[in-house]
Amino acid sequence: MPGYDQTLQPFLWRAERLYPGREVVARTADGIERYTYREFGDACRRLANALDAAGIGEGDRVGTFCWNHHRHAETYFAAPNVGGQLHTINPLLPPEHVQYIVRNAADRVLFVDPSLLGALEAAYDEEAFASVERFVVVGDAVPETALEPVTDYDSFVGAHDAEYDWPELDEELPAGMCYTSGTTGKPKGVEYTQQMLWAHTMATLTPAGLGIDDSDVVMPVVPMFHVNAWGLPFSATAAGAKHVYPGPSPDPADLVSLVEEEGVTLSAGVPTVWLGILEFLEEHDADLSSLERIVVGGSAAPESLIRRYDELGVEVVHAWGMTEMSPIGTVAHLKEGLEGVPHEERYAKQAKQGLLVPGLEMRVVDDDGEEVPWNGEDFGELWVRGPWVTDRYFERPDATQQDFEGSWLKTGDIVTVDPEGYVQIVDRAGDVIKSGGEWISSVEVENAIMAHDAVAEATVIGVPHEKWGERPAAFVVPADDGVDRESLADELTSLIAEDYPDWWTPDAVELIAEIPKTATGKFDKKVVREEHADPELLAED
Ligand code: ADP
C-alpha cells in the first residue's frame, strides 16, 4: 500500500494510549506477576533497545524456548517491531528436531525459560547452534548451565532505556516464524510477514473470527510456541483486552483458579485441556461465571465436550486452522437463523470445524482436481488462500511444490462442506482409510468409539490388507483398567457396525495402555502405524 504498511506497531501504540491501566498478568515460578499496558510498552521498548544493542535488525531471527508468560509476550512485540523475526520453538520436540530447527532458522539470540534450560541443553549441539550468539535466561539470575555466552533477562534488558523510536518497516518483512509440529515428516518452517500477522489479528477481532474486544480477559492456554498461541497475544493487545498467561504447563487447578481470580472471559486450547478441566470439575467446586467462551481447536472438539460446556454456560467456539494459516481458517459460529434450533442440532453444527473466516477463499477438490459439491457428503481435499495464509515453506522448495499450487495451500485435510457452508474434517489425507476403493473416515470411527463411557481415548488407522488394500483397526485406551477387555472390544465393534456402513467396522479392536502423542498433544498416528500396523492383527475373512 503506497505510503503505509500494515505492521504490528500500531497495535501496541494504541493499547498503551487507550488502555494504559489495563493489565497483563502472568503466573510464574515466583507467583502472580502483573503490570499495566503502560509498563508492558516500556518493557517492550527496553527489550527493543537491548535487541538493538545485540545487533538484531531486519532479517535476524530471535528464538524463544518459553512457556506462556509476560516476558514471552514482550518478545512478541519487541523482536518483530525492531524489524527482526520472532521464532518460537516448541520445547517438547525431540532434541534432533530442535537442532534441525535452530540450524535451519539460524537464530542469533535465544531466550529460554529456567525450567526449560535442561531441555535446551539436551538439544544443544555446537554445530547446529553455531548461529546463536547469546542465550538469555528469562529471569533475574542464570542457573548453573553449560550454555554460553549466557545472560539473565533482567541484566540483558535492565540498563536500557524505555524510550525507543520504532523503525519504519515494510509489511513484506518476515516478522514471525513457526515450524509445523511434524506429524507429517521433517518440520517445515512457516514465515509470517508483518502484513500476515496484521491481517490475522484484524480477522480475529471480527465477530466472524473470535470477536475479541476491550471487555475481554484473554487467557491463552495454547502454548505461545504453537503458532503464536493462535495469535492471541497480538489480538488481545489490538483489542485492548487484559492478558492472562498461565505459565509453565498449567494443570486444570491452575487454570480454574486463574479464571476465578482474574475474571477470564475467553480462553483457548486443544480439546485435551478442556476435557481435563471437566474432570477436575467433577471433584471440585469452581466459579466459572466470568468465562463466556473457549476457543477449541488443533484437533476436533467432540460434541460431548460442546454439550457439557454449554450446560456450564460456556460457549465452545470450535475453530480449525494450521501453522501455515497463522493459524485461523474456520470458526463454527452459528449462522443467522440457526440460533433457535434445538440443542442437539446446534451442537452438531458446532462440532463441525465451521465457516470460513472473512478474507479467505476455499475450494474442495477431489482426486481429479474437480471441485466437489457442498452437499455434506462428498469428500475432497480443502484448499485455502488469503492474506494470512503462506504460499511457501522456508527453504523447502520440495515441500512447497508438494503442498502449494500458486497461492493455494493444499491443506491435506479431507473435508465435506454442507449446504450452509460448514466445513467438516473427515480426515487427514494420509489417515483416511481406503478399503476396496471406498473411503472410511478414521476420525468418525474414533469419535464414535470415544463417545463410549468405558473409553478414555481411541485412534483408528488403516492396516495393510491383501484383498482390500487397507482395513481399519482401532486402538483403545479403556477409562478403567479393570474392564473386561474382550467384551468391551465386542461392544465397540457392534456399536460401529450398527451406525456405519458395514465396511467401516474395524477388523481389530485392540486395548492398549496409551496412545502416542505428538509434541502438540495430538494422536501421533505415524507412531501408531509404526508400532501397530501389522497385517496379522486383522481377523481372517
Ligand atoms: P501439524 O500438521 O504438524 O499437526 P498444525 O498444528 O499446523 O500442524 O496442525 C494443523 C492440522 O491440525 C490441521 O490441518 C488439521 O488436520 C488439524 N486441526 C486443527 N484444528 C482442527 C479442528 N478443529 N478439528 C480437527 N482437526 C483440526
Side-chain angles (χ1 to χ4, degrees):
M1 203 201 314
Y4 193 78
D5 284 277
Q6 295 173 345
T7 74
L8 295 170
Q9 291 174 347
F11 296 142
L12 180 62
W13 175 84
R14 177 178 177 275
E16 280 187 80
R17 272 147 194 84
L18 266 58
Y19 306 97
R22 201 91 167 110
E23 284 178 324
V24 175
V25 178
R27 184 193 288 280
T28 69
D30 302 326
I32 297 284
E33 301 213 17
R34 65 179 72 239
Y35 58 5
T36 62
Y37 266 127
R38 187 185 287 123
E39 291 161 310
F40 176 61
D42 282 347
C44 291
R45 281 184 293 273
R46 263 196 205 98
L47 177 57
N49 274 313
L51 290 173
D52 243 10
I56 298 297
E58 289 197 11
D60 293 320
R61 289 193 195 93
V62 173
T64 60
F65 208 75
C66 301
W67 296 112
N68 291 13
H69 50 66
H70 58 310
R71 299 293 184 220
H72 204 176
E74 290 167 12
T75 68
Y76 267 52
F77 283 91
N81 286 344
V82 302
Q85 202 173 343
L86 171 77
H87 170 213
T88 54
I89 304 168
N90 182 340
L92 307 176
L93 287 175
E96 58 277 21
H97 281 203
V98 175
Q99 285 161 14
Y100 173 85
I101 285 171
V102 171
R103 181 193 284 120
N104 192 231
D107 297 306
R108 289 189 54 192
V109 177
L110 228 166
F111 290 86
V112 52
D113 279 356
S115 62
L116 292 170
L117 202 53
L120 188 62
E121 284 170 336
Y124 181 80
D125 168 86
E126 200 176 331
E127 196 254 320
F129 281 64
S131 61
V132 180
E133 293 160 29
R134 182 192 296 262
F135 296 92
V136 181
V137 177
V138 181
D140 56 8
V142 178
E144 189 60 40
T145 175
L147 298 176
E148 58 169 5
V150 60
T151 326
D152 66 272
Y153 191 91
D154 289 7
S155 316
F156 182 67
V157 169
H160 290 283
D161 209 276
E163 296 286 317
Y164 184 83
D165 278 335
W166 300 106
E168 270 193 32
L169 301 176
D170 188 316
E171 64 189 19
E172 291 306 321
L173 202 62
M177 184 174 211
C178 184
Y179 283 75
T180 66
S181 53
T183 43
T184 47
K186 213 158 56 159
K188 293 174 280 193
V190 175
E191 291 195 290
Y192 307 116
T193 63
Q194 287 278 350
Q195 172 276 323
M196 284 168 73
L197 295 178
W198 185 92
H200 183 266
T201 303
M202 296 304 281
T204 58
L205 301 192
T206 64
L210 304 180
I212 297 171
D213 68 26
D214 60 0
S215 68
D216 275 313
V217 177
V218 178
M219 178 170 75
V221 182
V222 48
M224 291 173 82
F225 53 75
H226 196 186
V227 211
N228 302 323
W230 298 345
L232 289 172
F234 298 129
S235 309
T237 306
K242 175 174 165 182
H243 300 217
V244 178
Y245 293 104
S249 58
D251 63 24
D254 290 335
L255 295 174
V256 166
S257 79
L258 282 171
V259 170
E260 290 177 328
E261 283 154 29
E262 301 300 333
V264 172
T265 63
L266 178 146
S267 186
V270 294
T272 38
V273 166
W274 306 112
L275 290 167
I277 289 186
L278 285 175
E279 257 171 50
F280 174 84
L281 293 177
E282 277 170 20
E283 312 259 308
H284 303 85
D285 282 335
D287 174 10
L288 296 187
S289 56
S290 67
L291 193 61
E292 293 164 11
R293 56 214 196 280
I294 52 175
V295 183
V296 182
S299 47
E303 203 172 313
S304 53
L305 180 96
I306 296 169
R307 177 183 311 113
R308 289 171 71 188
Y309 276 97
D310 189 57
E311 286 161 6
L312 292 171
V314 179
E315 182 194 353
V316 168
V317 179
H318 187 194
W320 164 85
M322 295 179 74
T323 306
E324 292 85 338
M325 305 179 68
S326 310
I328 292 173
T330 64
V331 183
H333 288 298
L334 283 187
K335 250 178 142 172
E336 185 272 327
L338 288 177
E339 295 92 345
V341 300
H343 281 188
E344 292 307 316
E345 219 175 295
R346 180 152 63 83
Y347 299 148
K349 280 290 190 223
Q350 288 175 287
K352 296 192 175 196
Q353 280 64 28
L355 303 168
L356 197 69
V357 171
L360 299 178
E361 289 179 68
M362 72 176 197
R363 45 196 303 217
V364 181
V365 296
D366 64 17
D367 280 349
D368 303 321
E370 297 295 322
E371 283 203 44
V372 306
W374 289 17
N375 56 14
E377 283 177 14
D378 286 308
F379 296 2
E381 187 184 14
L382 177 61
W383 292 18
V384 291
R385 65 176 179 185
W388 56 93
V389 181
T390 191
D391 61 0
R392 74 195 86 130
Y393 292 115
F394 178 68
E395 293 181 351
R396 285 289 301 277
D398 55 327
T400 299
Q401 200 185 359
Q402 194 180 318
D403 292 355
F404 295 88
E405 192 149 306
S407 51
W408 291 100
L409 164 68
K410 302 192 263 182
T411 66
D413 284 324
I414 306 297
V415 305
T416 60
V417 187
D418 70 19
E420 279 138 344
Y422 284 83
V423 172
Q424 178 166 22
I425 298 195
V426 294
D427 237 318
R428 288 289 291 169
D431 295 341
V432 69
I433 300 164
K434 236 179 181 178
S435 178
E438 298 288 346
W439 298 87
I440 300 170
S441 160
S442 66
V443 171
E444 269 195 58
V445 181
E446 275 163 18
N447 286 343
I449 293 177
M450 282 194 281
H452 193 289
D453 284 344
V455 173
E457 289 178 336
T459 191
V460 173
I461 57 167
V463 174
H465 188 280
E466 218 169 281
K467 180 168 169 195
W468 301 111
E470 271 184 330
R471 290 294 302 144
F475 298 88
V476 175
V477 179
D480 171 7
D481 289 342
V483 71
D484 176 344
R485 304 171 76 86
E486 207 161 312
S487 67
L488 178 60
D490 289 346
E491 218 179 295
L492 295 172
T493 310
S494 353
L495 187 132
I496 304 299
E498 261 165 45
D499 290 345
Y500 292 92
D502 55 3
W503 71 91
W504 285 41
T505 309
D507 279 10
V509 176
E510 298 287 306
L511 270 49
I512 58 175
E514 199 186 346
I515 297 175
K517 311 251 176 18
T518 68
T520 48
K522 303 184 196 188
F523 293 157
D524 196 338
K525 292 203 182 183
K526 206 168 61 175
V527 174
V528 178
R529 270 187 219 105
E530 277 163 17
E531 289 179 356
H532 298 289
D534 179 355
E536 300 209 339
L537 256 184
L538 305 181
E540 295 288 314
D541 283 333

